[in-house]
Amino acid sequence: MSFDAIYRIAGSAMNAQTVRLNTVASNLANADSASASAADTYQARKPMFAAVYENGELTRGAGMGGAHVQVLDVVTSGRDPVRRYEPGNPVADRDGYVYYPDVNQIEEMTDMMSATRSFETNVEVLNRVKSMQQGLLRLGEA
Amino acid sequence: MSIRIDEALGVHSRALALRMERSEILSANLANEDTPGFQARDIDFAAEMQRLDSDSHQLFASTSGPGLKYRVPTQPAQDGNTVELSVEQAQFSRNAMDFQTSLTFLNMKFRGLKQAIEGR
């Protein structure tokens, strides 16, 4: 029986999407945190996903089976912060400049929607598999 | 005269096992929707089913090679991912429905066996 593999796969995907949602929230929350130097400025984060192939008991020889998702790493964007002239800002440097993180809000919002949708897809997979298993348990009942 | 349960249940128990394996593969496709470079895969259900019937009922016997095939996407993606959500969702829910159908058939078989045993 390979229901446990499906639970593992859907669970890993939900976990990965949660990490992604976490980084989106962090990016959006820090979009307006100004700082005095480019080095101190917050950098947008992004998770990297990778597929890890399962080797089930039945499918070992044939190389069949599913693949769960692993979050390899969370990387920073590496993009240069935006320099803005705001002499009134308390953290402005000597020339009156502050640095804002280069967070593309539209990009983050679409990323958020995509992550939510993927999460919901996997919840739906879990629901379906649950009803499949329940049907199997009721096998032979009147 | 005796009843052989295995024969009485017919093709449905094997279909059920294959449906379950397929749901694992399809759930992996859905899970890796956002993984760069992931290639969506599937099995040819009818071909695997035929192989099961001829091949001493061994699920995915390694002798005949893997029956896993790659899905051909309707549109290529830049990151090399070939998962198309709508296609996979449709396949997954159809597979789940077919699983329930096989379950229903099995239940009917069981009911028939029970009636035969009780002599009603």
Side-chain angles (χ1 to χ4, degrees), chain A residues 6 17 20 62 66-67 118 128 140, chain B residues 23-24 28 32-34 66 93 107:
Chain A
I6 304 176
Q17 299 300 342
R20 187 165 163 217
S118 299
R128 276 301 176 85
Chain B
S23 70
E24 182 186 333
N32 284 286
E33 187 208 341
D34 297 308
S93 71
N107 263 327

Side-chain angles (χ1 to χ4, degrees), chain A residues 29 94 135:
Chain A
R94 206 182 309 153

Side-chain angles (χ1 to χ4, degrees), chain B residues 41-95:
Chain B
R41 298 189 296 179
D42 200 357
I43 55 173
D44 181 350
F45 191 85
E48 291 294 323
M49 207 57 216
Q50 261 173 2
R51 213 161 53 75
L52 271 183
D53 277 337
S54 61
D55 213 5
S56 68
H57 299 181
Q58 184 67 45
L59 205 57
F60 306 124
S62 48
T63 48
S64 1
L68 261 190
K69 296 185 167 59
Y70 289 100
R71 174 104 63 225
V72 178
T74 50
Q75 273 188 334
Q78 204 170 20
D79 64 355
N81 186 310
T82 60
V83 179
E84 278 163 342
L85 193 60
S86 45
V87 175
E88 301 300 336
Q89 269 178 328
Q91 291 289 343
F92 186 85
S93 71
R94 190 177 160 196
N95 189 59

